[in-house]
Structures are given as structure tokens and as C-alpha cells.
Amino acid sequence: MTPPLLAGDVKPGDALPRLRYEVSATTVVLGALASRDWRPMHHDKDFAVERNGLRDIFLNTPNQAAWFERYVTDWTGPHGRLGRMTFTMKGSIFPGDTMEFSGTVDGAETDDAGCGWASLSIELAVDGQVKTTCAVRVALPAEAGDNPWDRRGDQWKP
Amino acid sequence: MSGPATGLPSEVDKMIGIPLYEEQGEFPVERGYIWTTCSSVENGNPLYWDDSVAEELTGGPIAPPTMLSVWFRPHHWAPGRSQPHLPLQVHFDLKEALGLPEAVMTSNTMVFHDPVRPGDRLSTRQVLKSVSPEKTTKLGTGRFWVIDVEYRNQSGNLVGVESYTGFGYRRAP
């Protein structure tokens, strides 16, 4: 399989394609149960309103991680291998919200093991308000025959 | 960042760098949750849906890396179970030992190592990396701490580390 994106294709300032998604109650509940998070604020609206003082149930953090992963690998294709992700949460995401993901390449480098890397800044916003930011380091093939997934031990420096 | 100069109780100082709360996941890594997770975020990466792509790129199916913590969330109920440790028990231990009633997580970093595969039996442990001197923020006065949660497979290979920065504090009077 030919990698759709190589490390050499990427340069600082490049923008990732935006992704928009309308969140429903099903999105929130499915995401919580997929990540084995049984806490009531992710499925019980009365609990979220009365106990958490929020307007509705809200997307849980592990499922947001899965959304960011999908956003990144939509761009890299299956050869893209996540090295690291850092989250900063600023606000909650509720049913009825339209999530908008946007991302920018901050840096591109090849490490001393020969692995290509892109550093990304990703924002998840609703109505232009940033709800979560995510800094990502993702490995990309250095050339068509390279596969970041083959790297182990000293060859993998996430 | 530790030692008598920072006024840390010795019980906390002694925790730093020591692996704590080693635990096995309650069930092996399995494809049902992988598909449900991909489905929940409409992740069409062929690595998770097309076995020939998985065979070619990763030597067989793997789990999405960000699912690390999924494999350790306990069943909602299980027969005869004693109370499981809270996730990030060290965080709650620190609040207690330092007498800090409030706490927030200020950031969370995940680092991914060897791929996780269906059938893997993962284990986890928590390591307190550092505790800061007392600091005052807009929330109140307290300390920052960094806790690493390490995940390994049945061969002992590191599959990932989640690093949490917490701030335990007393509200300003």
C-alpha cells in the first residue's frame, strides 16, 4: 500500500482539512460506552444538569482523544503513527453542538533514527469558541518504502 | 523538586519514583471495543477495518493507540469484586497526605510505544514523578504534581505512558 502522505510532503504552516460534525445525545452516549466510561454525566441529562450544573450530558475525555486520533489519521492515512498527544480542556461539548476540528503543522523533522515527524496544533471549537486544544506528534514515512509501524526500541522516539 | 527544603511530608517524598498500584486489566484487549470506538468517531482508518492492510502495515490487527486507558476502566459490576482502585489513586493519595481538599487536572499527555493488539493482557502502574513547592494560583494555594501511568503488555514491553499534571489546593479564604 502506497503511503498517501510522506514526511517530505509536510511543511510548517500547512493546514489540515477541517472536519465538522453535529453532536447528538447518541454521539455522547456511544462515545462514553465505547470507552467504558459509565459515569452518569455522560448519559443522564438530569444528573448533568442537577449535579454538575451543566446544560446537558457532555463528551468524555477518552472519546475526545479518539476524535483527535481520527482527525489526524484522516490526514496521514494508515501509515501515520501517533507518537504523543497533549490535551488542554477549556469547555464541554454538548448534544446540539457542531464540532469543528482544525489543525496546523507547527514543525516537520527527521529524527536521528531516520523517522519522519510532524508536529501539529489542533483545535476543537464550537461556534468559533475553542473547547479543547491538542498538540500532536505523529510519525510519517520518510519515503514510500518506509513504515513507521515497524519501529521498535531505539528506533522509535515518540 | 522534592526533599526537606520544599516542606514535603516524608511520606510523600518517599512515594516519588516508586511504582505503585500495579494492576492487570480485567479483560484481554478485544476487537469489539476497537470497532465500537472507531464507529463512535466514524474513524474509517483501514488499519482497523481491513485485515489485509493491518497485516501489511502492523503485522495483524492493532488497537487505536488512544484507546490505552479503555482497557483499564473496570466493569460496572462484577461478581464478588472488592472495590477497585480509583483510576489515578496516587492523585487522591496526594490530596489526602498533603491536606489539599480541592484538585484539578491541568494537563494530560499520552505517549505511545509498542502497538496494542487484540488478545493482549495489559498491566498498569502509577509513578509519582514530582511534587512542586507551594504555589498560589487564581484557584488557591497548593502544589502541582506529575503522575505517570505506565502501560505494559504481557511480554513486559511498554505500550504507552499517560502523564497527568494535577494541582491540589486550598481555596483562598
Side-chain angles (χ1 to χ4, degrees):
Chain A
M1 189 176 186
T2 312
L5 188 69
L6 299 176
D9 299 334
V10 172
K11 58 182 190 309
D14 286 355
L16 277 66
R18 285 174 184 256
L19 169 68
R20 286 168 66 84
Y21 191 87
E22 282 181 33
V23 174
S24 67
T26 305
T27 315
V28 174
V29 173
L30 175 58
L33 298 193
S35 52
R36 299 177 55 80
D37 188 341
W38 329 116
R39 291 177 299 164
M41 58 279 214
H42 303 303
H43 62 254
D44 180 342
K45 182 173 180 176
D46 288 346
F47 186 97
V49 170
E50 286 158 24
R51 296 283 295 277
N52 295 109
L54 294 168
R55 75 162 204 253
D56 207 332
I57 57 173
F58 57 100
L59 214 60
N60 75 342
T61 306
N63 194 240
Q64 283 198 38
W67 274 105
F68 282 109
E69 174 168 10
R70 177 235 156 142
Y71 182 64
V72 172
T73 59
D74 275 3
W75 176 67
T76 63
H79 293 74
R81 179 178 177 188
L82 290 176
R84 126 187 342 247
M85 276 182 152
T86 301
F87 294 97
T88 310
M89 321 286 287
K90 299 170 192 286
S92 303
I93 298 185
F94 303 106
D97 286 349
T98 298
M99 296 193 287
E100 185 164 36
F101 293 84
S102 60
T104 313
V105 177
D106 292 331
E109 54 148 350
T110 302
D111 68 20
D112 52 18
C115 185
W117 292 97
S119 306
L120 313 174
S121 288
I122 302 174
E123 288 184 349
L124 165 51
V126 174
D127 293 332
Q129 276 201 310
V130 177
K131 301 294 184 179
T132 308
T133 62
C134 180
V136 175
R137 185 166 142 85
V138 61
L140 295 168
E143 60 202 5
D146 184 32
N147 176 7
W149 292 104
D150 288 340
R151 296 179 175 276
R152 295 285 183 279
D154 291 351
Q155 299 299 301
W156 178 245
K157 299 174 177 177
Chain B
M1 296 260 271
S2 65
T6 62
L8 268 189
S10 65
E11 64 190 290
V12 173
D13 201 40
K14 276 189 279 193
M15 285 167 69
I16 294 174
I18 307 296
L20 296 163
Y21 300 112
E22 296 213 31
E23 273 183 89
Q24 275 255 309
E26 287 185 323
F27 62 103
V29 174
E30 50 113 322
R31 296 189 86 181
Y33 272 107
I34 294 172
W35 286 318
T36 305
T37 294
C38 288
S39 171
S40 74
V41 297
E42 300 185 12
N43 182 351
N45 190 336
L47 212 43
Y48 309 116
W49 298 98
D50 181 336
D51 284 358
S52 65
V53 173
E55 189 58 44
E56 180 188 336
L57 292 184
T58 53
I62 64 167
T66 58
M67 288 185 71
L68 264 186
S69 64
V70 172
W71 312 114
F72 289 92
R73 284 199 194 90
H75 299 316
H76 191 254
W77 176 89
R81 186 176 61 193
S82 60
Q83 201 58 31
H85 293 303
L86 287 170
L88 274 189
Q89 183 65 50
V90 169
H91 175 79
F92 297 97
D93 292 350
L94 285 169
K95 284 178 67 180
E96 175 86 26
L98 295 168
L100 299 170
E102 314 293 335
V104 292
M105 287 296 168
T106 60
S107 77
N108 171 10
T109 297
M110 289 188 277
V111 183
F112 307 107
H113 291 274
D114 284 9
V116 171
R117 297 176 187 280
D120 277 357
R121 296 302 306 238
L122 302 183
S123 60
T124 179
R125 58 191 210 180
Q126 302 172 33
V127 183
L128 175 61
K129 304 297 281 189
S130 62
V131 182
S132 79
E134 287 225 333
K135 289 186 178 173
T136 299
T137 73
K138 65 182 178 190
L139 290 173
T141 298
R143 296 176 189 267
F144 286 90
W145 49 73
V146 178
I147 301 165
D148 277 2
V149 181
E150 302 175 349
Y151 298 97
R152 287 187 162 69
N153 64 20
Q154 61 281 356
S155 309
N157 296 329
L158 192 64
V159 296
V161 180
E162 283 192 284
S163 190
Y164 293 89
T165 302
F167 179 59
Y169 62 97
R170 276 178 299 275
R171 288 205 179 97

